[in-house]
Amino acid sequence: FYRPDVVRRFSTSGWPAAVLALPDGRPYATAVDIPDENLKLYLLRQARNYAEKRQMIEAKLRSVPTISSGSNVTWTAHDVFETMTMEFDSLHGGFGTTGPKYLNAQVMLFLAYYSGDRKASAMMHRSLEAILASPMNDSSKGGVFAFSYTPDWRAPGPEQDLSDQAVLLRTLLVLGKEHAAHQILETMQSGFFDDDMGVFYGRRVWQDQGEWYVDPAIYTARNAAAIRACVAAFNQLGDENAMQMARRAMNYLVLHHETGDEKFYHHSNVDEGADLV
C-alpha cells in the first residue's frame, strides 16, 4: 500500500518476500514467508534450477504476455486464459511449478466460468481435486490453506485467507459441489466471523502451540469477497445463516469503513493508518 510501484513490478502477493530476478531485472521466482531455517535450502534449490534450466526459464518469461503502461492495451478473456495455460502444472494441478505455490482460488473461479476451451474445465477440475484431496484442505483445523511450500500441495503453509475461502466457495457453488461448499461456509463462520462484531476477520495463522492466531484487522476487500460468497450460498443453498452474515458484514463496512464520499478504508480495528481502497 505504501509502495505500489514495487508491488506492480514484483507482485509478491505477501510478505516477507524473496524475489529472484534474471540479470536483466525480470523476476522469475518469488517466495513468501519462508521459515528462516528453510531459506538457505530454497535459495540453493533455485540457484540449481537457474544453472540447469536457464534457457527454459528465460523462454517461459518471454512467452508470457506483458501489460504495457499505455492506455490503449486491452486484454481479452482469451488472453488471460492463454496466460493461465502456460502457468498450469499438469502434474500436480494448480499454477506454477515451484514452491511456494498458492491456492489461486480466483483463477479457478475464472476457469469455472470460462467457456472458450474445454481445457479450461480440465485445468480447473484437476487443480480443485488435487487441492481438496491434499493436506491443503485440513478437515481437523477447517478451511483451506493459502499456499504450499512444495508444488505437490503436500507441505501447506500455516496461513488461511478469508478471500480464498470465499472465492473457493463460489467456485464450488458454480460446479454444484454443495457438500464441499457447505464445509467451506462452516469454516468461514466458525473460523473467520466475529459474531459479536458482526464482521469477518481477514486471515489466520496456525501456530506451533496448536491454536490459531487471528489477525485482528478487518479488511474491506476480504469482507466484500465473503459477502458476495455468502449471498451466492443463500441463493443456491437457501442458507439463511449465510445471508445473515452477509447483511451484518455489509452493515459493519458501511458504518465503520465508509468515508462519506463513496469510498471505503482498506481496513480497521488496528492501530496502523488505513489507506483508501
Side-chain angles (χ1 to χ4, degrees), residues 128-145:
L128 193 60
E129 290 167 3
I131 290 167
L132 293 181
S134 76
M136 288 279 287
N137 182 22
D138 194 323
S139 58
S140 64
K141 300 180 183 68
V144 180
F145 291 102

Side-chain angles (χ1 to χ4, degrees), residues 64-235:
V64 176
T66 58
I67 301 177
S68 168
S69 59
S71 59
N72 296 325
V73 176
T74 302
W75 270 41
T76 66
H78 182 70
D79 293 330
V80 177
F81 172 66
E82 285 298 315
T83 300
M84 293 175 179
T85 300
M86 288 183 282
E87 292 296 319
F88 179 64
D89 182 350
S90 58
L91 180 60
H92 302 296
F95 299 87
T97 55
T98 61
K101 189 172 179 180
Y102 285 86
L103 182 63
N104 283 323
Q106 194 72 48
V107 172
M108 286 187 281
L109 180 62
F110 172 90
L111 293 174
Y113 279 113
Y114 186 74
S115 58
D117 194 306
R118 262 191 294 178
K119 187 184 247 186
S121 178
M123 288 194 300
M124 186 270 302
H125 281 284
R126 174 73 182 96
S127 301
L128 193 60
E129 290 167 3
I131 290 167
L132 293 181
S134 76
M136 288 279 287
N137 182 22
D138 194 323
S139 58
S140 64
K141 300 180 183 68
V144 180
F145 291 102
F147 65 93
S148 172
Y149 289 113
T150 58
D152 60 3
W153 308 114
R154 306 304 299 175
E159 182 175 345
Q160 292 186 355
D161 192 290
L162 174 64
S163 295
D164 287 334
Q165 317 303 314
V167 177
L168 188 59
L169 169 57
R170 290 176 57 203
T171 304
L172 292 169
L173 290 172
V174 170
L175 299 177
K177 296 182 179 294
E178 295 187 352
H179 176 70
H182 269 296
Q183 291 180 319
I184 296 293
L185 185 60
E186 288 173 2
T187 295
M188 287 173 60
Q189 180 174 5
S190 62
F192 292 89
F193 192 73
D194 186 313
D195 198 52
D196 293 331
M197 297 174 64
V199 73
F200 292 94
Y201 293 112
R203 55 186 288 273
R204 60 181 186 171
V205 179
W206 186 253
Q207 298 181 302
D208 293 337
Q209 298 89 336
E211 58 186 19
W212 289 107
Y213 161 75
V214 179
D215 183 349
I218 306 298
Y219 296 97
T220 298
R222 287 177 168 110
N223 269 272
I227 291 167
R228 189 172 185 182
C230 285
V231 171
F234 170 76
N235 290 336

Side-chain angles (χ1 to χ4, degrees), residues 252-265:
Y252 183 98
L253 294 183
V254 170
L255 289 172
H256 298 279
H257 286 205
E258 192 177 16
T259 65
D261 56 357
E262 299 183 350
K263 293 183 174 67
F264 285 79
Y265 287 109

